[in-house]
Amino acid sequence: MSTLNNEALFHYITARFSDKVVLIAEPYGLLTVETNRENIIDLLEYLKTVNELQFVYLTDITAIHYPDQEKQIGVIYHLHSLKHNIRVRIKVFLEDGDAHIPTATGLWNGANWMERETYDYFGVMFDGHPNLVRILNVDDMTVFPMRREYPLEDPNRVDKKDFYFGR
Amino acid sequence: MQVFNKILMSDVQIVNAPPGVEGSGFFATSLDKAIGLARSHSLWPLPFATSCCGIEFMATMGSHYDLSRFGAERLSFSPRQADLLMVMGTISKKMAPVLRQVYLQMAEPRWVLAVGACASSGGIFDTYSVLQGIDEIIPVDVYVPGCPPRPEGIIDGFMNIQKMVQTESLRRRDSPEYTKLLAQYGIQ
């Protein structure tokens, strides 16, 4: 049984990518690194294919929106090494008007629906995706509902208006 | 055996005749009252169950509450043969065109029962992905409150539908008001 821990894992990453990948934090023991969209696919491929790492399982792709940051949209990858029973989280931050990132469907077929979902909710464009259309919401939806500028509530709701409560 | 028959017969309830003129050997009433009586006791419901209200409907159809007592024995899973669309549960915006198509496939006369808070108003799901009441896309006759309503509530809603069916004029579906109502929903 190998003893791959966060320290050794980050050492493997920096050996290949040096300063293109930076360590952000280790909340609850989960190694979290940040990179950019030029290196993300190389990094994912490296983590997946190198024999000492074998992060073969793509747990999730999602995104987050920080409206106060310069680079507002963060795309987040969770990988799991089934061989070594260790996980890693990778973040890539993108500017709002230019939320393009290369697709990971070349590495995992499972990335297909995850990227469609991330596009559906945050409007992240995964360049090279075979079918980047909405997956959960109605096709004619015009907003990306998980972005902060869009209200969560449906504007058609009438029975919660202040008028009905004497306000 | 005689006793058994007596008990059995005394428990059988027959619906009251509609208002009319009665005499020796004849009974006269208007056609729409007679047809309303017949229709109201042989409604074929189409259950459109999407969540927990649908579970309550299963109890309503089960032997304890037994919606069949009201003449709704025969559920129709084809909208072409159904009289009453029972919408039970949260209707997401993605489901809305499906529900609308089911309604359009039903033949007149057709009635709609919105069961529970979600079908009536969106309920607790005040969010971008959920339809805020099915009356945004199809006309509704009776709303049943509750989250979910008990089977008694669903039966009460069904009996209100029966009352509407009994008192509805045969010409209502040809009236300009009804055409206008449907036009509001972009139907026809």
Side-chain angles (χ1 to χ4, degrees), chain B residues 146-182:
Chain B
C147 186
R150 286 189 55 84
E152 290 93 327
I154 299 178
I155 289 173
D156 184 58
F158 186 84
M159 289 171 76
N160 274 305
I161 290 276
Q162 283 187 310
K163 270 181 212 156
M164 292 180 74
V165 175
Q166 278 163 13
T167 53
E168 181 174 308
S169 154
L170 284 183
R171 292 168 192 267
R172 180 188 164 226
R173 306 272 161 176
D174 303 320
S175 67
E177 289 83 2
Y178 188 71
T179 314
K180 200 177 150 197
L181 174 74
L182 287 188

PDB file of all heavy atoms in Angstrom, chain B residues 146-182:
ATOM      1  N   GLY B 146     -53.319  22.338   0.990  1.00  0.00           N
ATOM      2  CA  GLY B 146     -52.664  21.318   1.807  1.00  0.00           C
ATOM      3  C   GLY B 146     -51.303  20.982   1.256  1.00  0.00           C
ATOM      4  O   GLY B 146     -51.033  21.184   0.090  1.00  0.00           O
ATOM      5  N   CYS B 147     -50.454  20.463   2.150  1.00  0.00           N
ATOM      6  CA  CYS B 147     -49.072  20.202   1.717  1.00  0.00           C
ATOM      7  C   CYS B 147     -48.544  18.944   2.390  1.00  0.00           C
ATOM      8  O   CYS B 147     -47.764  19.035   3.304  1.00  0.00           O
ATOM      9  CB  CYS B 147     -48.183  21.392   2.023  1.00  0.00           C
ATOM     10  SG  CYS B 147     -46.509  21.198   1.373  1.00  0.00           S
ATOM     11  N   PRO B 148     -48.926  17.754   1.950  1.00  0.00           N
ATOM     12  CA  PRO B 148     -49.985  17.506   0.978  1.00  0.00           C
ATOM     13  C   PRO B 148     -51.344  17.465   1.668  1.00  0.00           C
ATOM     14  O   PRO B 148     -51.412  17.315   2.880  1.00  0.00           O
ATOM     15  CB  PRO B 148     -49.624  16.112   0.452  1.00  0.00           C
ATOM     16  CG  PRO B 148     -48.974  15.436   1.608  1.00  0.00           C
ATOM     17  CD  PRO B 148     -48.266  16.512   2.374  1.00  0.00           C
ATOM     18  N   PRO B 149     -52.448  17.610   0.891  1.00  0.00           N
ATOM     19  CA  PRO B 149     -53.769  17.460   1.493  1.00  0.00           C
ATOM     20  C   PRO B 149     -54.022  16.007   1.888  1.00  0.00           C
ATOM     21  O   PRO B 149     -53.497  15.102   1.256  1.00  0.00           O
ATOM     22  CB  PRO B 149     -54.718  17.894   0.381  1.00  0.00           C
ATOM     23  CG  PRO B 149     -53.945  17.766  -0.871  1.00  0.00           C
ATOM     24  CD  PRO B 149     -52.509  17.923  -0.531  1.00  0.00           C
ATOM     25  N   ARG B 150     -54.826  15.830   2.929  1.00  0.00           N
ATOM     26  CA  ARG B 150     -55.221  14.464   3.296  1.00  0.00           C
ATOM     27  C   ARG B 150     -56.179  13.925   2.235  1.00  0.00           C
ATOM     28  O   ARG B 150     -56.764  14.689   1.482  1.00  0.00           O
ATOM     29  CB  ARG B 150     -55.929  14.487   4.656  1.00  0.00           C
ATOM     30  CG  ARG B 150     -54.989  14.706   5.826  1.00  0.00           C
ATOM     31  CD  ARG B 150     -55.717  14.487   7.126  1.00  0.00           C
ATOM     32  NE  ARG B 150     -56.340  13.168   7.161  1.00  0.00           N
ATOM     33  CZ  ARG B 150     -55.699  12.066   7.509  1.00  0.00           C
ATOM     34  NH1 ARG B 150     -54.454  12.116   7.870  1.00  0.00           N
ATOM     35  NH2 ARG B 150     -56.317  10.913   7.504  1.00  0.00           N
ATOM     36  N   PRO B 151     -56.360  12.608   2.188  1.00  0.00           N
ATOM     37  CA  PRO B 151     -57.305  12.042   1.229  1.00  0.00           C
ATOM     38  C   PRO B 151     -58.697  12.661   1.332  1.00  0.00           C
ATOM     39  O   PRO B 151     -59.371  12.860   0.314  1.00  0.00           O
ATOM     40  CB  PRO B 151     -57.319  10.556   1.593  1.00  0.00           C
ATOM     41  CG  PRO B 151     -55.980  10.300   2.163  1.00  0.00           C
ATOM     42  CD  PRO B 151     -55.587  11.557   2.871  1.00  0.00           C
ATOM     43  N   GLU B 152     -59.112  13.012   2.561  1.00  0.00           N
ATOM     44  CA  GLU B 152     -60.404  13.690   2.715  1.00  0.00           C
ATOM     45  C   GLU B 152     -60.438  14.981   1.913  1.00  0.00           C
ATOM     46  O   GLU B 152     -61.465  15.341   1.324  1.00  0.00           O
ATOM     47  CB  GLU B 152     -60.681  14.014   4.188  1.00  0.00           C
ATOM     48  CG  GLU B 152     -60.958  12.810   5.067  1.00  0.00           C
ATOM     49  CD  GLU B 152     -59.706  12.298   5.744  1.00  0.00           C
ATOM     50  OE1 GLU B 152     -58.613  12.385   5.146  1.00  0.00           O
ATOM     51  OE2 GLU B 152     -59.832  11.799   6.880  1.00  0.00           O
ATOM     52  N   GLY B 153     -59.314  15.692   1.913  1.00  0.00           N
ATOM     53  CA  GLY B 153     -59.236  16.944   1.161  1.00  0.00           C
ATOM     54  C   GLY B 153     -59.364  16.715  -0.326  1.00  0.00           C
ATOM     55  O   GLY B 153     -60.071  17.455  -1.024  1.00  0.00           O
ATOM     56  N   ILE B 154     -58.692  15.671  -0.806  1.00  0.00           N
ATOM     57  CA  ILE B 154     -58.773  15.365  -2.236  1.00  0.00           C
ATOM     58  C   ILE B 154     -60.200  14.975  -2.590  1.00  0.00           C
ATOM     59  O   ILE B 154     -60.745  15.400  -3.614  1.00  0.00           O
ATOM     60  CB  ILE B 154     -57.782  14.238  -2.603  1.00  0.00           C
ATOM     61  CG1 ILE B 154     -56.346  14.681  -2.284  1.00  0.00           C
ATOM     62  CG2 ILE B 154     -57.917  13.863  -4.067  1.00  0.00           C
ATOM     63  CD1 ILE B 154     -55.295  13.636  -2.559  1.00  0.00           C
ATOM     64  N   ILE B 155     -60.836  14.186  -1.713  1.00  0.00           N
ATOM     65  CA  ILE B 155     -62.224  13.781  -1.973  1.00  0.00           C
ATOM     66  C   ILE B 155     -63.140  15.001  -1.964  1.00  0.00           C
ATOM     67  O   ILE B 155     -64.037  15.134  -2.805  1.00  0.00           O
ATOM     68  CB  ILE B 155     -62.679  12.733  -0.929  1.00  0.00           C
ATOM     69  CG1 ILE B 155     -61.963  11.404  -1.192  1.00  0.00           C
ATOM     70  CG2 ILE B 155     -64.192  12.529  -0.980  1.00  0.00           C
ATOM     71  CD1 ILE B 155     -62.192  10.356  -0.138  1.00  0.00           C
ATOM     72  N   ASP B 156     -62.890  15.930  -1.027  1.00  0.00           N
ATOM     73  CA  ASP B 156     -63.697  17.156  -0.980  1.00  0.00           C
ATOM     74  C   ASP B 156     -63.548  17.942  -2.280  1.00  0.00           C
ATOM     75  O   ASP B 156     -64.544  18.416  -2.833  1.00  0.00           O
ATOM     76  CB  ASP B 156     -63.257  18.009   0.215  1.00  0.00           C
ATOM     77  CG  ASP B 156     -64.121  19.235   0.377  1.00  0.00           C
ATOM     78  OD1 ASP B 156     -65.348  19.056   0.521  1.00  0.00           O
ATOM     79  OD2 ASP B 156     -63.587  20.354   0.331  1.00  0.00           O
ATOM     80  N   GLY B 157     -62.310  18.045  -2.769  1.00  0.00           N
ATOM     81  CA  GLY B 157     -62.099  18.714  -4.050  1.00  0.00           C
ATOM     82  C   GLY B 157     -62.819  18.003  -5.171  1.00  0.00           C
ATOM     83  O   GLY B 157     -63.445  18.635  -6.030  1.00  0.00           O
ATOM     84  N   PHE B 158     -62.774  16.676  -5.146  1.00  0.00           N
ATOM     85  CA  PHE B 158     -63.444  15.898  -6.186  1.00  0.00           C
ATOM     86  C   PHE B 158     -64.955  16.112  -6.133  1.00  0.00           C
ATOM     87  O   PHE B 158     -65.614  16.244  -7.169  1.00  0.00           O
ATOM     88  CB  PHE B 158     -63.110  14.409  -6.006  1.00  0.00           C
ATOM     89  CG  PHE B 158     -63.640  13.558  -7.108  1.00  0.00           C
ATOM     90  CD1 PHE B 158     -62.944  13.414  -8.285  1.00  0.00           C
ATOM     91  CD2 PHE B 158     -64.869  12.917  -6.982  1.00  0.00           C
ATOM     92  CE1 PHE B 158     -63.433  12.647  -9.326  1.00  0.00           C
ATOM     93  CE2 PHE B 158     -65.373  12.147  -8.010  1.00  0.00           C
ATOM     94  CZ  PHE B 158     -64.653  12.010  -9.178  1.00  0.00           C
ATOM     95  N   MET B 159     -65.507  16.182  -4.905  1.00  0.00           N
ATOM     96  CA  MET B 159     -66.953  16.394  -4.795  1.00  0.00           C
ATOM     97  C   MET B 159     -67.350  17.783  -5.272  1.00  0.00           C
ATOM     98  O   MET B 159     -68.448  17.977  -5.815  1.00  0.00           O
ATOM     99  CB  MET B 159     -67.402  16.176  -3.340  1.00  0.00           C
ATOM    100  CG  MET B 159     -67.331  14.710  -2.942  1.00  0.00           C
ATOM    101  SD  MET B 159     -67.584  14.449  -1.195  1.00  0.00           S
ATOM    102  CE  MET B 159     -69.341  14.647  -1.053  1.00  0.00           C
ATOM    103  N   ASN B 160     -66.451  18.754  -5.088  1.00  0.00           N
ATOM    104  CA  ASN B 160     -66.720  20.085  -5.634  1.00  0.00           C
ATOM    105  C   ASN B 160     -66.730  20.063  -7.163  1.00  0.00           C
ATOM    106  O   ASN B 160     -67.535  20.753  -7.796  1.00  0.00           O
ATOM    107  CB  ASN B 160     -65.686  21.085  -5.117  1.00  0.00           C
ATOM    108  CG  ASN B 160     -66.092  21.659  -3.776  1.00  0.00           C
ATOM    109  OD1 ASN B 160     -67.186  22.196  -3.639  1.00  0.00           O
ATOM    110  ND2 ASN B 160     -65.238  21.511  -2.792  1.00  0.00           N
ATOM    111  N   ILE B 161     -65.819  19.269  -7.728  1.00  0.00           N
ATOM    112  CA  ILE B 161     -65.834  19.083  -9.188  1.00  0.00           C
ATOM    113  C   ILE B 161     -67.171  18.469  -9.601  1.00  0.00           C
ATOM    114  O   ILE B 161     -67.822  18.905 -10.561  1.00  0.00           O
ATOM    115  CB  ILE B 161     -64.673  18.173  -9.635  1.00  0.00           C
ATOM    116  CG1 ILE B 161     -63.327  18.880  -9.473  1.00  0.00           C
ATOM    117  CG2 ILE B 161     -64.875  17.698 -11.063  1.00  0.00           C
ATOM    118  CD1 ILE B 161     -62.914  19.770 -10.596  1.00  0.00           C
ATOM    119  N   GLN B 162     -67.620  17.460  -8.832  1.00  0.00           N
ATOM    120  CA  GLN B 162     -68.911  16.816  -9.159  1.00  0.00           C
ATOM    121  C   GLN B 162     -70.047  17.829  -9.157  1.00  0.00           C
ATOM    122  O   GLN B 162     -70.911  17.814 -10.029  1.00  0.00           O
ATOM    123  CB  GLN B 162     -69.203  15.707  -8.145  1.00  0.00           C
ATOM    124  CG  GLN B 162     -68.407  14.445  -8.379  1.00  0.00           C
ATOM    125  CD  GLN B 162     -68.862  13.326  -7.461  1.00  0.00           C
ATOM    126  OE1 GLN B 162     -68.967  13.518  -6.262  1.00  0.00           O
ATOM    127  NE2 GLN B 162     -69.117  12.165  -8.034  1.00  0.00           N
ATOM    128  N   LYS B 163     -70.018  18.730  -8.149  1.00  0.00           N
ATOM    129  CA  LYS B 163     -71.067  19.760  -8.096  1.00  0.00           C
ATOM    130  C   LYS B 163     -71.028  20.643  -9.331  1.00  0.00           C
ATOM    131  O   LYS B 163     -72.061  21.002  -9.900  1.00  0.00           O
ATOM    132  CB  LYS B 163     -70.872  20.623  -6.843  1.00  0.00           C
ATOM    133  CG  LYS B 163     -71.596  20.101  -5.625  1.00  0.00           C
ATOM    134  CD  LYS B 163     -71.377  21.030  -4.450  1.00  0.00           C
ATOM    135  CE  LYS B 163     -71.365  20.219  -3.161  1.00  0.00           C
ATOM    136  NZ  LYS B 163     -70.632  20.889  -2.089  1.00  0.00           N
ATOM    137  N   MET B 164     -69.813  21.006  -9.748  1.00  0.00           N
ATOM    138  CA  MET B 164     -69.682  21.836 -10.948  1.00  0.00           C
ATOM    139  C   MET B 164     -70.228  21.103 -12.159  1.00  0.00           C
ATOM    140  O   MET B 164     -70.909  21.683 -13.011  1.00  0.00           O
ATOM    141  CB  MET B 164     -68.207  22.180 -11.191  1.00  0.00           C
ATOM    142  CG  MET B 164     -67.620  23.091 -10.166  1.00  0.00           C
ATOM    143  SD  MET B 164     -65.913  23.430 -10.537  1.00  0.00           S
ATOM    144  CE  MET B 164     -66.098  24.530 -11.910  1.00  0.00           C
ATOM    145  N   VAL B 165     -69.909  19.812 -12.249  1.00  0.00           N
ATOM    146  CA  VAL B 165     -70.357  19.030 -13.402  1.00  0.00           C
ATOM    147  C   VAL B 165     -71.884  18.964 -13.422  1.00  0.00           C
ATOM    148  O   VAL B 165     -72.531  19.093 -14.467  1.00  0.00           O
ATOM    149  CB  VAL B 165     -69.740  17.619 -13.344  1.00  0.00           C
ATOM    150  CG1 VAL B 165     -70.294  16.752 -14.458  1.00  0.00           C
ATOM    151  CG2 VAL B 165     -68.230  17.691 -13.429  1.00  0.00           C
ATOM    152  N   GLN B 166     -72.480  18.782 -12.217  1.00  0.00           N
ATOM    153  CA  GLN B 166     -73.940  18.652 -12.147  1.00  0.00           C
ATOM    154  C   GLN B 166     -74.641  19.940 -12.553  1.00  0.00           C
ATOM    155  O   GLN B 166     -75.705  19.907 -13.166  1.00  0.00           O
ATOM    156  CB  GLN B 166     -74.354  18.289 -10.715  1.00  0.00           C
ATOM    157  CG  GLN B 166     -74.226  16.813 -10.426  1.00  0.00           C
ATOM    158  CD  GLN B 166     -74.230  16.517  -8.945  1.00  0.00           C
ATOM    159  OE1 GLN B 166     -74.553  17.372  -8.130  1.00  0.00           O
ATOM    160  NE2 GLN B 166     -73.853  15.302  -8.595  1.00  0.00           N
ATOM    161  N   THR B 167     -74.068  21.070 -12.190  1.00  0.00           N
ATOM    162  CA  THR B 167     -74.763  22.339 -12.415  1.00  0.00           C
ATOM    163  C   THR B 167     -74.321  23.039 -13.685  1.00  0.00           C
ATOM    164  O   THR B 167     -74.809  24.115 -13.986  1.00  0.00           O
ATOM    165  CB  THR B 167     -74.514  23.279 -11.226  1.00  0.00           C
ATOM    166  OG1 THR B 167     -73.110  23.373 -11.001  1.00  0.00           O
ATOM    167  CG2 THR B 167     -75.190  22.768  -9.975  1.00  0.00           C
ATOM    168  N   GLU B 168     -73.402  22.428 -14.417  1.00  0.00           N
ATOM    169  CA  GLU B 168     -72.892  23.116 -15.598  1.00  0.00           C
ATOM    170  C   GLU B 168     -73.901  23.046 -16.742  1.00  0.00           C
ATOM    171  O   GLU B 168     -74.463  21.989 -17.034  1.00  0.00           O
ATOM    172  CB  GLU B 168     -71.569  22.478 -16.024  1.00  0.00           C
ATOM    173  CG  GLU B 168     -70.960  23.161 -17.226  1.00  0.00           C
ATOM    174  CD  GLU B 168     -69.580  22.619 -17.559  1.00  0.00           C
ATOM    175  OE1 GLU B 168     -68.738  22.577 -16.665  1.00  0.00           O
ATOM    176  OE2 GLU B 168     -69.374  22.226 -18.713  1.00  0.00           O
ATOM    177  N   SER B 169     -74.107  24.176 -17.380  1.00  0.00           N
ATOM    178  CA  SER B 169     -74.989  24.204 -18.543  1.00  0.00           C
ATOM    179  C   SER B 169     -74.312  23.499 -19.711  1.00  0.00           C
ATOM    180  O   SER B 169     -73.099  23.575 -19.880  1.00  0.00           O
ATOM    181  CB  SER B 169     -75.283  25.654 -18.914  1.00  0.00           C
ATOM    182  OG  SER B 169     -75.596  25.738 -20.279  1.00  0.00           O
ATOM    183  N   LEU B 170     -75.119  22.804 -20.487  1.00  0.00           N
ATOM    184  CA  LEU B 170     -74.553  22.084 -21.630  1.00  0.00           C
ATOM    185  C   LEU B 170     -73.940  23.039 -22.640  1.00  0.00           C
ATOM    186  O   LEU B 170     -73.098  22.654 -23.436  1.00  0.00           O
ATOM    187  CB  LEU B 170     -75.631  21.243 -22.315  1.00  0.00           C
ATOM    188  CG  LEU B 170     -76.029  19.947 -21.608  1.00  0.00           C
ATOM    189  CD1 LEU B 170     -77.038  19.194 -22.444  1.00  0.00           C
ATOM    190  CD2 LEU B 170     -74.811  19.072 -21.349  1.00  0.00           C
ATOM    191  N   ARG B 171     -74.407  24.282 -22.612  1.00  0.00           N
ATOM    192  CA  ARG B 171     -73.899  25.248 -23.588  1.00  0.00           C
ATOM    193  C   ARG B 171     -72.672  26.002 -23.097  1.00  0.00           C
ATOM    194  O   ARG B 171     -72.140  26.830 -23.831  1.00  0.00           O
ATOM    195  CB  ARG B 171     -74.982  26.280 -23.924  1.00  0.00           C
ATOM    196  CG  ARG B 171     -76.147  25.678 -24.678  1.00  0.00           C
ATOM    197  CD  ARG B 171     -77.293  26.681 -24.721  1.00  0.00           C
ATOM    198  NE  ARG B 171     -78.514  26.056 -25.169  1.00  0.00           N
ATOM    199  CZ  ARG B 171     -78.907  26.040 -26.446  1.00  0.00           C
ATOM    200  NH1 ARG B 171     -78.189  26.625 -27.366  1.00  0.00           N
ATOM    201  NH2 ARG B 171     -80.035  25.455 -26.781  1.00  0.00           N
ATOM    202  N   ARG B 172     -72.239  25.724 -21.848  1.00  0.00           N
ATOM    203  CA  ARG B 172     -71.144  26.528 -21.292  1.00  0.00           C
ATOM    204  C   ARG B 172     -69.891  26.472 -22.161  1.00  0.00           C
ATOM    205  O   ARG B 172     -69.216  27.477 -22.369  1.00  0.00           O
ATOM    206  CB  ARG B 172     -70.808  26.026 -19.883  1.00  0.00           C
ATOM    207  CG  ARG B 172     -69.683  26.837 -19.287  1.00  0.00           C
ATOM    208  CD  ARG B 172     -69.152  26.289 -17.977  1.00  0.00           C
ATOM    209  NE  ARG B 172     -67.860  26.913 -17.716  1.00  0.00           N
ATOM    210  CZ  ARG B 172     -66.787  26.283 -17.335  1.00  0.00           C
ATOM    211  NH1 ARG B 172     -66.832  24.987 -17.153  1.00  0.00           N
ATOM    212  NH2 ARG B 172     -65.659  26.918 -17.151  1.00  0.00           N
ATOM    213  N   ARG B 173     -69.597  25.293 -22.683  1.00  0.00           N
ATOM    214  CA  ARG B 173     -68.342  25.140 -23.429  1.00  0.00           C
ATOM    215  C   ARG B 173     -68.393  25.846 -24.773  1.00  0.00           C
ATOM    216  O   ARG B 173     -67.368  25.987 -25.427  1.00  0.00           O
ATOM    217  CB  ARG B 173     -68.053  23.652 -23.637  1.00  0.00           C
ATOM    218  CG  ARG B 173     -68.058  22.849 -22.354  1.00  0.00           C
ATOM    219  CD  ARG B 173     -66.728  22.814 -21.657  1.00  0.00           C
ATOM    220  NE  ARG B 173     -66.870  22.431 -20.258  1.00  0.00           N
ATOM    221  CZ  ARG B 173     -65.850  22.256 -19.428  1.00  0.00           C
ATOM    222  NH1 ARG B 173     -64.622  22.444 -19.826  1.00  0.00           N
ATOM    223  NH2 ARG B 173     -66.053  21.930 -18.169  1.00  0.00           N
ATOM    224  N   ASP B 174     -69.601  26.259 -25.202  1.00  0.00           N
ATOM    225  CA  ASP B 174     -69.700  27.020 -26.451  1.00  0.00           C
ATOM    226  C   ASP B 174     -69.805  28.515 -26.190  1.00  0.00           C
ATOM    227  O   ASP B 174     -69.854  29.303 -27.128  1.00  0.00           O
ATOM    228  CB  ASP B 174     -70.935  26.576 -27.245  1.00  0.00           C
ATOM    229  CG  ASP B 174     -70.884  25.089 -27.530  1.00  0.00           C
ATOM    230  OD1 ASP B 174     -69.777  24.615 -27.829  1.00  0.00           O
ATOM    231  OD2 ASP B 174     -71.924  24.421 -27.433  1.00  0.00           O
ATOM    232  N   SER B 175     -69.828  28.897 -24.903  1.00  0.00           N
ATOM    233  CA  SER B 175     -70.102  30.302 -24.591  1.00  0.00           C
ATOM    234  C   SER B 175     -68.887  31.174 -24.890  1.00  0.00           C
ATOM    235  O   SER B 175     -67.756  30.711 -24.862  1.00  0.00           O
ATOM    236  CB  SER B 175     -70.463  30.430 -23.107  1.00  0.00           C
ATOM    237  OG  SER B 175     -69.339  30.122 -22.316  1.00  0.00           O
ATOM    238  N   PRO B 176     -69.139  32.458 -25.194  1.00  0.00           N
ATOM    239  CA  PRO B 176     -68.011  33.364 -25.452  1.00  0.00           C
ATOM    240  C   PRO B 176     -67.099  33.509 -24.234  1.00  0.00           C
ATOM    241  O   PRO B 176     -65.892  33.684 -24.392  1.00  0.00           O
ATOM    242  CB  PRO B 176     -68.676  34.694 -25.806  1.00  0.00           C
ATOM    243  CG  PRO B 176     -70.110  34.545 -25.513  1.00  0.00           C
ATOM    244  CD  PRO B 176     -70.434  33.102 -25.422  1.00  0.00           C
ATOM    245  N   GLU B 177     -67.682  33.404 -23.008  1.00  0.00           N
ATOM    246  CA  GLU B 177     -66.839  33.512 -21.807  1.00  0.00           C
ATOM    247  C   GLU B 177     -65.810  32.384 -21.758  1.00  0.00           C
ATOM    248  O   GLU B 177     -64.646  32.599 -21.418  1.00  0.00           O
ATOM    249  CB  GLU B 177     -67.706  33.459 -20.533  1.00  0.00           C
ATOM    250  CG  GLU B 177     -68.556  34.676 -20.285  1.00  0.00           C
ATOM    251  CD  GLU B 177     -69.870  34.639 -21.056  1.00  0.00           C
ATOM    252  OE1 GLU B 177     -70.109  33.619 -21.753  1.00  0.00           O
ATOM    253  OE2 GLU B 177     -70.631  35.605 -20.981  1.00  0.00           O
ATOM    254  N   TYR B 178     -66.293  31.189 -22.106  1.00  0.00           N
ATOM    255  CA  TYR B 178     -65.384  30.038 -22.053  1.00  0.00           C
ATOM    256  C   TYR B 178     -64.313  30.140 -23.132  1.00  0.00           C
ATOM    257  O   TYR B 178     -63.132  29.869 -22.882  1.00  0.00           O
ATOM    258  CB  TYR B 178     -66.184  28.741 -22.210  1.00  0.00           C
ATOM    259  CG  TYR B 178     -65.360  27.498 -21.976  1.00  0.00           C
ATOM    260  CD1 TYR B 178     -64.939  27.167 -20.698  1.00  0.00           C
ATOM    261  CD2 TYR B 178     -64.989  26.677 -23.030  1.00  0.00           C
ATOM    262  CE1 TYR B 178     -64.156  26.043 -20.471  1.00  0.00           C
ATOM    263  CE2 TYR B 178     -64.217  25.542 -22.817  1.00  0.00           C
ATOM    264  CZ  TYR B 178     -63.810  25.232 -21.532  1.00  0.00           C
ATOM    265  OH  TYR B 178     -63.044  24.115 -21.315  1.00  0.00           O
ATOM    266  N   THR B 179     -64.711  30.576 -24.324  1.00  0.00           N
ATOM    267  CA  THR B 179     -63.728  30.769 -25.388  1.00  0.00           C
ATOM    268  C   THR B 179     -62.693  31.800 -24.982  1.00  0.00           C
ATOM    269  O   THR B 179     -61.497  31.636 -25.231  1.00  0.00           O
ATOM    270  CB  THR B 179     -64.449  31.237 -26.675  1.00  0.00           C
ATOM    271  OG1 THR B 179     -65.594  30.407 -26.861  1.00  0.00           O
ATOM    272  CG2 THR B 179     -63.555  31.130 -27.869  1.00  0.00           C
ATOM    273  N   LYS B 180     -63.193  32.854 -24.296  1.00  0.00           N
ATOM    274  CA  LYS B 180     -62.273  33.909 -23.852  1.00  0.00           C
ATOM    275  C   LYS B 180     -61.294  33.366 -22.799  1.00  0.00           C
ATOM    276  O   LYS B 180     -60.092  33.679 -22.828  1.00  0.00           O
ATOM    277  CB  LYS B 180     -63.100  35.061 -23.259  1.00  0.00           C
ATOM    278  CG  LYS B 180     -62.364  36.373 -23.212  1.00  0.00           C
ATOM    279  CD  LYS B 180     -63.288  37.463 -22.674  1.00  0.00           C
ATOM    280  CE  LYS B 180     -62.482  38.510 -21.933  1.00  0.00           C
ATOM    281  NZ  LYS B 180     -63.320  39.341 -21.074  1.00  0.00           N
ATOM    282  N   LEU B 181     -61.832  32.540 -21.909  1.00  0.00           N
ATOM    283  CA  LEU B 181     -60.977  31.946 -20.872  1.00  0.00           C
ATOM    284  C   LEU B 181     -59.850  31.130 -21.496  1.00  0.00           C
ATOM    285  O   LEU B 181     -58.679  31.262 -21.141  1.00  0.00           O
ATOM    286  CB  LEU B 181     -61.820  31.056 -19.952  1.00  0.00           C
ATOM    287  CG  LEU B 181     -61.050  30.243 -18.909  1.00  0.00           C
ATOM    288  CD1 LEU B 181     -60.561  31.124 -17.789  1.00  0.00           C
ATOM    289  CD2 LEU B 181     -61.896  29.111 -18.354  1.00  0.00           C
ATOM    290  N   LEU B 182     -60.229  30.289 -22.471  1.00  0.00           N
ATOM    291  CA  LEU B 182     -59.211  29.468 -23.116  1.00  0.00           C
ATOM    292  C   LEU B 182     -58.234  30.333 -23.900  1.00  0.00           C
ATOM    293  O   LEU B 182     -57.032  30.059 -23.943  1.00  0.00           O
ATOM    294  CB  LEU B 182     -59.865  28.442 -24.041  1.00  0.00           C
ATOM    295  CG  LEU B 182     -60.582  27.277 -23.353  1.00  0.00           C
ATOM    296  CD1 LEU B 182     -60.999  26.252 -24.377  1.00  0.00           C
ATOM    297  CD2 LEU B 182     -59.704  26.609 -22.299  1.00  0.00           C
TER     298      LEU B 182
END
